[in-house]
Amino acid sequence: MSTSPLVLSDAVREALADGRPVVALESTIISHGFPRPRNLEVARQFEQVLVDAGVTPATIAVVDGVPRVGLDDAALVRIAEDPAVVKVSARDLGVAMVQGVTGATTVAATALLAARAGLRVFSTGGLGGVHRGAAESFDESADLAALSRLPITVVSAGVKSILDIRATLERLETLGVTVLGYRTSRYPAFYVTDSGVDVDWRVESAEEVAAVMAAQDQLGLDSAVLVANPLPPDRQLDPDLHDRVLTDALSAAQRQGVTGKAVTPFLLDHFQRHTEGASLEVNVDIAVSNIALGGAIATAWASRG
């Protein structure tokens, strides 16, 4: 019988064995989400948010072909500083293992490895989703399909505002993924608080999220719970600036023939440059807010025994 290829850090293994709270963190946000050297700084900041809350962080990546749940500082530095680090989605994991690749895990890959390791809560910035113009391109993030078959709770500030948010929510409904608005009845749009789209279900506390997780377990459901956690309006990117830069970014991508996996990093880079760094600081705020909420949910879940 084959053994699991996952390597858990001592801290993660001990926390799981003791029933203490653990939160998964993705690594693509480190390798591709922030410029160097800021990316290493925020990676350490993200983990410290959890440590300060008494929660064990489990940053996930593939290092020399080995899927690792919980990174030591040397591995964190490598993911942040090595330009050869590639993005690894769920479908890429087997190949990355065979070829000894070092890769940062996307939402789909992080959720899969976290669930396989027995983690129940995962915090990220924004989810992938259905791209604009997907009716012609069929361009849809693998995040959605992965979350339809993984029993994990994912905290995010919605899907990235560069995507088709309404279509993404329709796909999530079709895929049977539960979406909860955390203290909101409107779905957030990553950089901005309100996408203009309603959320069917609203929850008011981490304990209520944990109760939903328990209820879904009782029913034997194996799909994710998505917790949409908007930034407060006074911390969002200015909506007028956001809309103007987004329109310009989409036009630039079309003019330059940017397609497929290159679209998201292109648009995010455009945002960073044309908001004079404001979007970068909002991105940090988003991640910290989601990680803090993920820690509270993991703590509530652990307290249920």
Side-chain angles (χ1 to χ4, degrees):
M1 184 170 62
S2 63
T3 58
S4 172
L6 275 63
V7 173
L8 277 61
S9 69
D10 290 343
V12 170
R13 186 185 309 106
E14 291 167 6
L16 290 173
D18 294 344
R20 290 184 279 114
V22 183
V23 171
L25 303 174
E26 63 158 304
S27 48
T28 297
I29 196 172
I30 302 167
S31 64
H32 294 79
F34 293 98
R36 301 185 184 92
R38 184 71 187 281
N39 60 342
L40 180 58
E41 175 188 326
V42 297
R44 289 172 171 157
Q45 177 185 356
F46 295 161
E47 292 201 344
Q48 194 61 45
V49 169
L50 292 171
V51 171
D52 290 346
V55 178
T56 300
T59 303
I60 294 177
V62 179
V63 181
D64 295 324
V66 179
R68 292 175 57 172
V69 179
L71 302 181
D72 57 23
D73 195 64
L76 203 64
V77 169
R78 185 170 176 189
I79 293 297
E81 296 183 350
D82 186 350
V85 170
V86 299
K87 291 174 73 170
V88 176
S89 188
R91 69 169 188 170
D92 307 314
L93 287 169
V95 182
M97 291 166 61
V98 169
Q99 296 190 357
V101 165
T102 294
T105 50
T106 65
V107 168
T110 303
L112 187 149
L113 295 175
R116 296 290 185 267
L119 278 63
R120 292 299 304 267
V121 181
F122 164 30
S123 289
T124 185
L127 298 176
V130 178
H131 285 248
R132 295 166 188 257
E136 289 76 34
S137 67
F138 291 91
D139 194 352
E140 177 183 311
S141 172
D143 296 352
L144 304 185
L147 296 173
S148 72
R149 57 179 183 268
L150 294 170
I152 192 162
T153 294
V154 183
V155 183
S156 77
V159 298
K160 296 180 178 70
S161 55
I162 57 179
L163 304 174
D164 187 329
I165 293 175
R166 195 175 296 275
T168 299
L169 288 171
E170 291 288 349
R171 285 292 291 144
L172 288 169
E173 180 182 0
T174 300
L175 291 167
V177 177
T178 300
V179 179
L180 307 175
Y182 185 72
R183 299 178 180 172
T184 182
S185 298
R186 301 276 275 189
Y187 197 70
F190 192 60
Y191 290 127
V192 295
T193 301
D194 185 350
S195 69
V197 182
D198 291 336
V199 181
D200 288 337
W201 298 104
R202 174 180 177 137
V203 293
E204 301 296 335
S205 67
E207 290 74 18
E208 192 174 2
V209 176
V212 171
M213 293 164 62
Q216 297 213 159
D217 281 2
Q218 289 176 330
L219 292 169
L221 297 178
D222 57 2
S223 54
V225 174
L226 300 186
V227 180
N229 180 39
L231 278 180
D234 62 349
R235 288 167 53 198
Q236 68 179 333
L237 188 65
D238 176 73
D240 291 335
L241 174 63
H242 169 272
D243 293 348
R244 185 169 65 253
V245 173
L246 177 58
T247 298
D248 291 345
L250 292 169
S251 297
Q254 186 174 30
R255 285 196 309 272
Q256 297 179 37
V258 180
T259 59
K261 290 194 295 185
V263 172
T264 295
F266 176 88
L267 295 177
L268 293 179
D269 177 68
H270 190 98
F271 259 94
Q272 182 184 326
R273 289 185 288 107
H274 289 80
T275 62
E276 298 181 347
S279 67
L280 181 65
E281 298 311 313
V282 173
N283 205 349
V284 174
D285 279 353
I286 286 168
V288 168
S289 175
N290 293 338
I291 290 165
L293 178 55
I297 294 169
T299 299
W301 178 253
S303 71
R304 298 180 69 92

